[in-house]
Amino acid sequence: MRRLAAPDIAERKGKTPIVCLTAYTAPMAELLDEACDLLLVGDSVGMVIHGLPNTVGVTLEMMILHGQAVMRGSRRAMVVIDMPFGSYEGSAQEAYANAARLMKETGAQAVKVESGPTVADTIDYLVKRGVPVMGHVGLRPQAVLVDGGFKAKGKGADERARILEEAKATAAAGAFALVVEGVAEGLAREITEAVSVPTIGIGASAGCDGQILVTDDMLGLFDWTPKFVRRYADLRGEILRAVEAYAQDVQARRFPGPAEIYFAKAV
Ligand code: KIV
């Protein structure tokens, strides 16, 4: 089975919507692989799996370990790996060295960078040297300390125009697709019409070429999720019920039972 790659995703612009989810572990990647076109090893791993308050503390080494796990668990979906904060903003050369390391050590097909005002030149540098790049505009989680929180973007005319320009610059620099996060429907549609590559929305309406969610959010693993998340399951409730049942069985000596123990051979 051939794995999907950047050109397969790029050519879906304006066609059937592109299905994307985040993945951080091999067993979850295996479960998601068949239904998803693209699995993102997002730096949200820092918050979702490692309990960090934001993504700023995520390291290249963390991304490599989770990237390797997701590649082992999946066979068909394209795997994109986030470049963490501090690994691409300093210079295009440093970004290239870190992107090459991520790709060599994980086997992922592309990297994602948050496309702030200074990043288009770096995307151009990476793409010209053989690194497929996905951009990310609108709410940029790595800018949380500058922004003072995770806030929807593009509400005012100036910010709206800036985000549209960043999206156009990211696509013009050679990104094969663009995550559009936390913007109103009008801006998401404007970006989608303005760029020739697919837009992948998260909290950005159905006006994008595809959608992505943090898997653990949509599976209902947390007691709180942002407004834009639809919870397709209540795994938190299921886990709490299962753990409570296990605890009661252990305390009452109902577990393990005869079917769950080993017997010595008769001599
Ligand atoms: O890190 C991440 O999970 C992301 C998605 C929210 C798009 O960037």
Side-chain angles (χ1 to χ4, degrees):
M1 177 182 295
R2 184 176 78 81
R3 223 183 240 284
L4 298 177
D8 302 304
I9 301 298
E11 73 89 26
R12 296 268 294 274
K13 172 81 184 171
K15 298 182 185 159
T16 42
I18 302 161
V19 180
C20 316
L21 282 171
T22 61
Y24 318 114
T25 64
M28 188 59 85
E30 197 239 313
L31 289 170
L32 305 180
D33 190 47
E34 200 176 319
C36 291
D37 301 306
L38 186 150
L39 297 178
L40 173 68
V41 188
D43 60 354
S44 51
V45 69
M47 300 170 75
V48 174
I49 302 289
H50 295 275
L52 293 172
N54 54 52
T55 57
V56 174
V58 175
T59 64
L60 211 55
E61 285 68 29
M62 286 160 79
M63 297 311 300
I64 289 169
L65 280 177
H66 289 285
Q68 288 169 339
V70 170
M71 284 299 291
R72 283 185 209 115
S74 60
R75 292 191 309 144
R76 175 192 165 270
M78 174 175 192
V79 174
V80 178
I81 185 159
D82 253 338
M83 296 198 71
F85 177 73
S87 71
Y88 60 96
E89 303 90 332
S91 70
Q93 290 77 4
E94 190 187 10
Y96 179 73
N98 287 330
R101 188 169 165 216
L102 283 172
M103 291 173 70
K104 276 180 200 287
E105 293 188 29
T106 66
Q109 283 87 42
V111 298
K112 176 165 82 58
V113 297
E114 294 188 7
S115 323
T118 59
V119 176
D121 287 349
T122 296
I123 295 174
D124 176 68
Y125 188 92
L126 294 177
V127 174
K128 284 190 174 137
R129 284 160 183 77
V131 180
V133 179
M134 188 178 208
H136 184 151
V137 299
L139 192 165
R140 291 186 288 114
Q142 291 176 9
V144 63
L145 299 179
V146 175
D147 290 348
F150 299 107
K151 298 173 187 159
K153 292 287 174 190
K155 291 189 174 165
D158 287 354
E159 195 174 67
R160 201 182 150 100
R162 181 181 56 70
I163 293 171
L164 182 59
E165 282 319 305
E166 282 173 10
K168 287 184 189 167
T170 301
F176 71 91
L178 201 55
V179 168
V180 180
E181 179 165 359
V183 303
E185 178 167 12
L187 178 55
R189 288 193 187 278
E190 213 176 333
I191 294 172
T192 302
E193 276 164 29
V195 299
S196 58
V197 298
T199 53
I200 309 295
I202 173 162
S205 84
C208 298
D209 297 299
Q211 296 294 325
I212 187 163
L213 284 174
V214 169
T215 299
D216 303 58
D217 279 341
M218 60 83 88
L219 292 179
L221 270 160
F222 300 117
D223 53 5
W224 178 87
T225 44
K227 169 189 163 86
F228 59 81
V229 172
R230 185 177 296 172
R231 291 166 73 109
Y232 285 86
D234 175 26
L235 290 198
R236 185 181 179 85
E238 278 296 302
I239 291 171
L240 290 174
R241 270 190 295 281
V243 173
E244 181 55 29
Y246 169 72
Q248 285 179 8
D249 282 352
V250 170
Q251 283 156 2
R253 298 193 186 281
R254 282 191 301 264
F255 177 82
E260 292 133 348
I261 59 175
Y262 296 106
F263 294 96
K265 275 188 189 149
V267 277

